[in-house]
Amino acid sequence: MMKKAEILDKIELRQSTVKDFLMCPLMFKYRHIDKLKPSSRHPAALHGSALHAVIYMMHMEGWYLDFEKMYEKSFHHYEFDKPGEAHIPVYWRGDRKHELELFTRNAVEILAGYQSFSENRNAIALFSECPFRVNIGGYRFTGTIDQVRKHPNGKIE
């Protein structure tokens, strides 16, 4: 059995790592200790990444993008072109085309809601999907910040 220090040398403390351990210690072991590569990716993870990418584009390129087109382009990038992950197939439970249509409809609804909120339109996105590392209490935690933005009043969020 590995000791705590040995485990901490092998893993990064991330929200997802802790969540994996709490959900299933065996999955945690396979994924983070044994470093087994996943056999597939879930389309919901790609959906979230594509949404964040389009939101960042809205801040950078303007608020009236073609949400459907930009989302589909982003999703395609995460499914087929993202370095380090493109070789891992996506596990579609049913028909890919039908499921992607449902994700796209959901994305357009979310993006339209985000666009309609004036606080979002008035903020400046400084960073999106930004990796971070921080030492707390002698432990190094890592993760990804969805977005860092500056509001007209100068507040950073």
Side-chain angles (χ1 to χ4, degrees), residues 23 32 93:
M23 189 168 65
H32 303 288
R93 280 186 256 167

Side-chain angles (χ1 to χ4, degrees), residues 69-127:
K69 180 180 174 185
M70 295 311 293
Y71 173 80
E72 288 173 350
K73 183 178 176 180
S74 247
F75 194 98
H76 184 276
H77 166 75
Y78 286 103
E79 185 174 8
F80 298 112
D81 302 328
K82 186 177 181 202
E85 292 184 15
H87 68 284
I88 305 169
V90 174
Y91 175 73
W92 297 95
R93 280 186 256 167
D95 177 60
R96 178 190 180 279
K97 182 180 177 188
H98 175 70
E99 286 189 49
L100 187 53
E101 285 172 1
L102 295 175
F103 278 121
T104 302
R105 261 190 271 155
N106 177 253
V108 168
E109 182 181 334
I110 289 169
L111 294 167
Y114 186 89
Q115 176 198 49
S116 72
F117 193 46
S118 65
E119 185 174 316
N120 294 327
R121 289 192 314 276
N122 294 328
I124 298 168
L126 302 174
F127 302 99

Side-chain angles (χ1 to χ4, degrees), residues 12-17 131-134 140-144:
E12 289 188 23
L13 287 174
R14 301 175 62 90
Q15 175 192 3
S16 58
T17 309
F132 72 90
R133 289 185 189 289
V134 63
R140 175 173 281 174
F141 292 87
T142 64
T144 303

